[in-house]
Every structure is written in C-alpha cells, then in structure tokens.
C-alpha cells in the first residue's frame, strides 16, 4: 500500500470527515477523496461509509487505522531522529589518529565538541597513518588523522580528500646533561652519537635527515613509544628526533630539547571521504580539530 495514502486516510479517520482532513492537510476536498478512493481500490474493500455529516469507519477501516497510526508514529520518530542529527543533538564521529595526536589534539577536540554538542558521540582508535587509512577506506572510521615527514610521499589516498592541520616540527632530544648552550643544533656535531629510531616512516626520515647532514646514524634502539624513547635518552643510551606533539604529550624531566638545523617538520592532515562533511557531526568535528592545533612553540 502507498504510505502517503495511508497518512491521508489517517487524517480522514481522525477528522471524521473528508472536509476536516482537507483543512488539516491544506488540500482540496476532491484531492483527499481521490486518494481515499485509490487506497480503497488497493485495499479491495471500503474503508469508510460516507454520511451527510462526515464518514464512519468500516471494520476494515478500523483495522487499517491501527497500522496507519503506527506508520505515522514511526515516520515522526524518523523525522525527529534526522532533525536531531541535523541540529547536532545526536550523531557519531569515529576517528583514527596516530599516537601523539591521540594524546594531544584529538582529546582536546573531543572535549570541545562534547562541550558544544553533548549529544555527539566521538570514538577514537589509535593507529599509525597506514592503518588509519585502511580503517577509513573500510568504513570503520569517518576521519583519519595522519602525518608525512618532509620529503616523504604522502600515504596512498586515491578517492579521499583532506585538510592540512599544521606542520609539526621535529625536535632534537638529548640527555639533560647534554643540554645545548643555545640556538639550533647542527646534526653534524652529533655524527658519533648513538640514535634511537621510531616507526618505519620515522626511521626512514631519521636516516634521510642525518644523511643530508653528511653521516649515517648509528641506530641502536627502535621503539614507537615516545615515552620509552625519552626514558632511554634520559639514561644516556642514545639521542633522537621527536615531534612536538609527542613532547607536548610527555616530556621526561631528565631530557633536553633543542631545535635541529637539518630536521624539517612533518605535516599533519585529517583525511576523509569527499562526502563525509555533508554529515553535520563530521563537519563539526573537522572544524574543531582545526581549531585545537597547538600554536605555541616548544
């Protein structure tokens, strides 16, 4: 049966007349009568008995009205749900982000979004860029916060679009006893040091940066965890390059942080499918992520 005609029939039944239904709907009486006749033809039986002062439901009409009321209630509930999503009173945003972003800008954005729109549910999954992109492509997340080091090819992203959030500068991290006198440090002066490397892309960037300074780094340790990296450095077991976001999340009290002449920043972006910003909650999450980027230098 045609749901639209069912709703017209509901108005006729509730108003008790075709004229009353026409007034409620803002239609003409002939239009209402035509929809009612077509519905009765579909039902194969009369639904109302016409009387001089209105209509009376037949047994079939009474039975059908229960279903019409249920359909009207479900349609109203659907409209209410859609209004809530459009008005940011509800909605879900799923975000994948690399570890240092997951410890800094993403929680800040999630908190700001919760303050502005308490009904939006933001869910975070920590993932390195390649894994975050895989989650985005599979539809498991709506947004992927990723990075690429200077000179590195961006992760493969055909069919996706994104927004550049900012550059995240890399900092040289040394034991506190090796604190530089001041100003940026030339990595050539550290050619004989032991180094601590990170993820695959970070290790590649470390090697390329040191080679640009004229030497191959002596990599002794490898860890993706910036807390472990700093613990090793604090004990004098090596030095390393860490992004500002990692140091914003945690800085060991026994390390020194300095600028490095040859270390270029990494670029942080948030990627999504082209149609994602049409969803109000996702559009708002993108806006808040851009707002929460830390501007203060470290």
């Amino acid at each position: 049966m045609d749901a639209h005609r069912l709703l017209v029939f509901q108005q006729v039944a509730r108003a008790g007349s075709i004229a009353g239904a026409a007034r409620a709907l803002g239609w003409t009486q002939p239009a209402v009568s035509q929809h009612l006749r077509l519905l009765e033809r579909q039902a194969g039986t009369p639904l109302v008995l016409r009387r001089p002062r209105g209509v009376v439901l037949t047994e079939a009409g009474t039975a059908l009205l229960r279903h019409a009321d249920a359909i009207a209630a479900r349609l109203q509930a659907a409209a209410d749900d859609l209004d809530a999503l459009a008005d940011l009173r509800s909605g879900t945003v799923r975000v994948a982000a690399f570890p240092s972003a997951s410890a800094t800008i993403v929680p800040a954005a999630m908190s700001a979004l919760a303050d502005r729109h308490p009904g939006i549910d933001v869910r975070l999954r920590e993932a390195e860029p390649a894994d975050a992109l895989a989650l985005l492509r599979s539809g498991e997340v709506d947004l992927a916060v990723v990075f690429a080091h200077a000179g590195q090819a961006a992760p493969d992203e055909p069919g996706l679009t994104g927004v550049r959030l900012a550059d995240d500068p890399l900092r040289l991290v040394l034991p506190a006893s090796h604190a530089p006198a001041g100003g940026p440090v030339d990595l050539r002066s550290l050619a004989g040091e032991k180094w601590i490397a990170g993820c695959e892309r970070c290790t590649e960037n470390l090697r390329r940066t040191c080679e640009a300074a004229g030497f191959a780094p002596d990599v002794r340790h490898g860890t993706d965890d910036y807390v472990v990296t700093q613990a090793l450095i604090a004990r004098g077991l090596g030095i390393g390059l860490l992004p500002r976001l990692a140091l914003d999340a945690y800085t060991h009290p026994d390390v020194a942080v300095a600028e490095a002449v040859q270390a270029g920043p990494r670029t942080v972006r948030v990627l999504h499918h082209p149609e994602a910003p049409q969803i109000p909650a996702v559009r708002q999450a993108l806006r808040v992520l851009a707002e929460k980027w830390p501007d203060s230098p470290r």
Side-chain angles (χ1 to χ4, degrees):
M1 285 186 179
D2 186 291
H4 186 55
R5 289 174 190 149
L6 277 174
L7 297 179
V8 173
F9 164 69
Q10 183 202 34
Q11 288 292 332
V12 171
R14 295 302 175 202
S17 69
I18 291 174
R23 286 193 298 272
L25 293 168
W27 292 10
T28 65
Q29 290 188 46
V32 173
S33 294
Q34 182 182 18
H35 277 280
L36 185 56
R37 282 195 301 272
L38 290 171
L39 183 63
E40 288 179 320
R41 188 179 302 167
Q42 284 183 315
T45 185
L47 301 174
V48 300
L49 298 175
R50 277 82 170 166
R51 297 285 188 259
R53 295 188 177 182
V55 298
V56 177
L57 295 183
T58 64
E59 185 178 6
T62 300
L64 187 60
L65 179 60
R66 291 195 297 271
H67 297 288
D69 286 342
I71 290 171
R74 294 302 300 169
L75 288 174
Q76 185 58 55
D80 291 343
D81 285 347
L82 292 176
D83 285 344
L85 290 168
D87 296 340
L88 296 172
R89 287 181 282 114
S90 69
T92 302
V93 183
R94 302 159 302 164
V95 182
F98 56 89
S100 55
S102 295
T104 52
I105 58 171
V106 175
M110 291 170 67
S111 177
L113 198 57
D115 289 341
R116 297 179 196 179
H117 307 288
I120 294 180
D121 181 17
V122 184
R123 304 185 181 190
L124 172 64
R125 292 183 65 172
E126 184 179 287
E128 292 292 348
D131 295 328
L133 280 173
L135 291 170
L136 180 60
R137 291 194 179 284
S138 68
E140 295 179 66
V141 299
D142 305 297
L143 301 173
V145 181
V146 301
F147 69 84
H149 288 287
Q152 274 183 340
D156 185 37
E157 54 191 61
L160 302 176
T161 187
V163 177
R164 176 185 172 278
L165 292 177
D167 285 338
D168 186 16
L170 297 187
R171 297 294 185 239
L172 177 66
V173 184
L174 313 98
S177 58
H178 290 48
V185 176
D186 190 326
L187 293 183
R188 288 177 293 186
S189 65
L190 303 171
E193 296 283 347
K194 303 178 183 68
W195 289 82
I196 302 167
C199 67
E200 183 178 347
R201 295 176 68 82
C202 299
T203 300
E204 175 192 337
N205 181 68
L206 171 64
R207 294 188 186 280
R208 189 174 60 252
T209 300
C210 291
E211 287 167 3
F215 67 96
D218 179 9
V219 176
R220 296 294 183 93
H221 312 287
T223 174
D224 291 346
D225 191 324
Y226 49 82
V227 175
V228 174
T229 297
Q230 293 182 60
L232 293 170
I233 293 172
R235 292 288 184 173
L237 299 173
I239 62 174
L241 291 175
L242 285 177
R244 187 185 74 181
L245 280 181
L247 295 165
D248 284 343
Y250 171 76
T251 301
H252 195 289
D254 296 326
V255 303
V257 179
E259 291 186 44
V261 174
Q262 295 87 352
R266 62 180 186 175
T267 299
V268 179
R269 294 180 301 154
V270 54
L271 300 176
H272 53 79
H273 291 282
E275 65 277 8
Q278 297 176 25
I279 302 170
V282 174
R283 183 169 62 249
Q284 193 63 217
L286 282 167
R287 183 175 301 150
V288 175
L289 275 170
E291 290 174 3
K292 290 303 173 182
W293 184 264
D295 294 322
S296 59
R298 177 185 284 273

